[in-house]
Amino acid sequence: MYGILASGHSGHHWPAELAIPVVIAGGAVLGPSRGSAVSPSRGDYLAIVTLFFGQAFVVFVNNANRINFPFIGHTDLTGGANGLDNIDPLNLFGWTVTTTKEYYFFTLGAFVLVMVLLYFVNESRTGGPGVRSARIHSQPK
């Protein structure tokens, strides 16, 4: 989705500061809908459904360059097997990420930031099972 928004492919060149939150929000909306289809599955069936979604994604990406919508016409979403071209480099507040090493450190930093935020949410007054069980056991009888 970032590639579609940050390239000239869709006719837009969204800046990273705007495209990344939109992609995160889209993932947050679409993730539970995909997960709800898999949640009743257990064991081998979970593995089969997971493999199905992985393969369906590959087929979609490779064939989404020739979709014909009614009333809209021909649409090329993903560029097919060739992919998208001219994706703008990730540019966050003046820091341009262009090399694989820079992308690695950016991703590592984002991961650490999310983990630290989740830790503080878990340790907050309303978070985490440890906090709730401590409150239950500390109440006078």
Side-chain angles (χ1 to χ4, degrees):
M1 197 64 201
Y2 175 76
I4 291 173
L5 293 176
S7 71
H9 185 76
S10 63
H12 306 288
H13 268 7
W14 288 27
E17 293 88 352
L18 183 61
I20 289 175
V22 169
V23 170
I24 290 172
V29 169
L30 291 176
S33 67
R34 293 295 98 211
S36 65
V38 179
S39 64
S41 302
R42 302 282 183 252
D44 292 342
Y45 295 109
L46 177 62
I48 291 168
V49 172
T50 302
L51 290 171
F52 164 75
F53 276 120
Q55 189 60 37
F57 177 77
V58 170
V59 170
F60 172 76
V61 168
N62 283 331
N63 294 313
N65 62 336
R66 52 180 182 257
I67 298 175
N68 290 315
F69 289 108
F71 308 113
I72 297 174
H74 175 76
T75 303
D76 179 9
L77 290 177
T78 62
N82 294 328
L84 299 172
D85 57 350
N86 297 328
I87 297 175
D88 294 340
L90 186 60
N91 185 0
L92 288 172
F93 308 109
W95 179 51
T96 303
V97 180
T98 55
T99 65
T100 305
K101 190 176 192 180
E102 289 174 340
Y103 273 107
Y104 170 77
F105 284 115
F106 171 77
T107 306
L108 181 65
F111 177 75
V112 168
L113 179 67
V114 168
M115 289 297 110
V116 167
L117 289 174
L118 288 176
Y119 173 78
F120 284 120
V121 166
N122 191 35
E123 296 298 319
S124 69
R125 186 174 63 87
T126 59
V131 174
R132 286 191 295 268
S133 65
R135 258 188 279 143
I136 292 170
H137 294 298
S138 65
Q139 292 178 355
K141 295 181 181 182

